[in-house]
């Protein structure tokens, strides 16, 4: 009986040891498979951020680069006419080829849509109409985007301030050299002209069509500072 009991005990012990030895192997296998499956899934947090595209800085004119810019810009120009459409009608200006910086500047601003929605803000009866400014904040914003610069006078090309001449006023800054304010212009309506302006301002073109519209603008009622009581808008400037 003792032998049988011992044999039985031995058998039970062997069964227990074999069972305990198999279970860790199965658990290990399952654990390894689970780890592999988890590792096979890419974690979003481990992804590197994609590089952002570099944005080109907007080109802005200033007193350092304006002359070089308009020198190169003028060489590419083949057109020399600009049509201004106002709320009182339209007229067309032909620009002089031998005044390159002022011509290039005027065409550039027209192509940049600067003049659109500006006004004839100064009207002096039987003398001039002056345009290119406005009391609208959008005009100041346009100037900020295009740049802050002046143009040198170019008065030795033989052009005079005849009736219908378009010329560029000098800047309002302390300006002994009569540097031109590039965003504004004036047109002479005096018959036969306003020749006392010669040598001080730069004529850069003349009206070839629609002078009757210019004359009509010159006759609108004005208030203090020669600003028209009823706004005269430039609706659109087109390079022809």
């Amino acid at each position: 009986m003792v032998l049988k009991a011992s044999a039985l005990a031995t058998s039970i012990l062997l069964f227990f040891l074999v069972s305990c030895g198999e279970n860790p192997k199965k658990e290990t296998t399952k654990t390894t498979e689970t780890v592999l499956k988890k590792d096979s899934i890419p974690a979003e947090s481990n992804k590197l951020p994609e590089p952002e595209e570099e944005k080109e800085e907007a080109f802005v004119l200033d007193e350092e680069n304006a002359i070089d810019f308009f020198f190169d810009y003028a060489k590419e120009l083949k057109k020399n006419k600009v049509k201004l459409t106002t709320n009182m009608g339209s007229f067309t200006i032909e620009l002089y080829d031998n005044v390159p910086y002022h011509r290039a500047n005027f065409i550039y601003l027209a192509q940049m849509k600067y003049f659109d929605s500006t006004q004839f803000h100064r009207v002096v009866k039987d003398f001039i109409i002056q345009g290119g400014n406005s009391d609208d904040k959008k005009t100041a914003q346009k100037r900020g985007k295009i740049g802050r610069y002046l143009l040198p006078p170019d008065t030795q090309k033989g052009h005079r301030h005849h009736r219908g001449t378009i010329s560029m006023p000098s800047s309002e800054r302390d300006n002994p050299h009569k540097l031109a304010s590039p965003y504004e212009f004036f047109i002479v309506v005096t018959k036969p002209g306003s020749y006392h302006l010669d040598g001080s301002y730069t004529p850069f073109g003349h009206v070839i069509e629609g002078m009757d519209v210019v004359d009509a603008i010159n006759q609108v009622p004005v208030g203090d500072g020669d600003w028209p009581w009823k706004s005269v808008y430039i609706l659109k400037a087109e390079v022809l």
Side-chain angles (χ1 to χ4, degrees):
M1 292 295 294
V2 174
L3 289 173
K4 288 182 179 179
S6 299
L8 180 60
T10 301
S11 298
I12 292 171
L13 180 60
L14 288 171
F15 176 78
F16 177 77
L17 291 172
V18 170
S19 299
C20 289
E22 288 178 350
N23 285 336
K25 290 181 181 178
K26 289 181 181 178
E27 289 298 322
T28 302
T29 303
K30 286 183 179 178
T31 304
T32 303
E33 289 176 354
T34 303
V35 172
L36 288 173
K37 286 179 180 178
K38 287 182 178 178
D39 288 346
S40 66
I41 301 173
E44 292 294 330
S45 60
N46 291 335
K47 286 185 176 180
L48 294 174
E50 295 182 2
E52 295 183 1
E53 293 184 4
E54 293 185 3
K55 295 181 180 179
E56 292 185 6
E57 291 186 7
F59 176 72
V60 177
L61 287 165
D62 58 36
E63 294 184 6
E64 298 295 327
N65 63 23
I67 295 301
D68 289 339
F69 173 79
F70 286 122
F71 177 80
D72 293 333
Y73 189 79
K75 290 190 294 186
E76 303 298 324
L77 287 180
K78 296 181 180 179
K79 297 181 178 181
N80 67 343
K81 296 182 181 67
V82 177
K83 180 180 179 181
L84 297 179
T85 300
T86 78
N87 58 331
M88 293 183 63
S90 62
F91 58 92
T92 302
I93 298 163
E94 183 176 64
L95 305 175
Y96 301 139
D97 290 333
N98 65 346
V99 190
Y101 299 120
H102 294 68
R103 169 175 169 254
N105 172 78
F106 196 75
I107 290 179
Y108 178 72
L109 294 180
Q111 291 180 328
M112 294 291 286
K113 307 299 182 186
Y114 167 74
F115 293 117
D116 298 7
S117 300
T118 58
Q119 296 172 250
F120 283 98
H121 57 281
R122 182 172 177 240
V123 172
V124 183
K125 190 175 180 180
D126 298 326
F127 179 38
I128 63 162
I129 63 172
Q130 185 167 325
N133 204 345
S134 171
D135 53 1
D136 191 331
K137 290 181 179 179
K138 291 182 180 179
T139 299
Q141 291 171 350
K142 285 182 183 180
R143 292 188 180 196
K145 290 181 179 179
I146 295 171
R148 184 178 176 83
Y149 61 100
L150 298 173
L151 292 178
D154 194 354
T155 62
Q156 304 301 317
K157 299 297 176 61
H159 303 298
R160 304 194 66 193
H161 286 83
H162 300 297
R163 169 175 161 81
T165 293
I166 181 171
S167 189
M168 199 169 287
S170 59
S171 169
E172 295 178 358
R173 306 183 213 177
D174 184 16
N175 190 8
H177 300 293
K178 297 287 185 181
L179 297 178
S181 176
Y183 292 106
E184 299 180 24
F185 62 90
F186 65 86
I187 298 173
V188 176
V189 299
T190 313
K191 298 177 182 179
S194 292
Y195 304 117
H196 65 286
L197 302 176
D198 295 349
S200 296
Y201 306 96
T202 302
F204 61 95
H206 63 284
V207 176
I208 59 172
E209 185 178 347
M211 191 63 194
D212 58 323
V213 175
V214 176
D215 288 333
I217 294 172
N218 185 249
Q219 297 302 308
V220 299
V222 299
D224 294 338
D226 301 318
W227 195 290
W229 284 112
K230 185 177 180 180
S231 297
V232 182
Y233 284 99
I234 298 174
L235 305 177
K236 182 169 58 175
E238 303 171 85
V239 179
L240 306 178

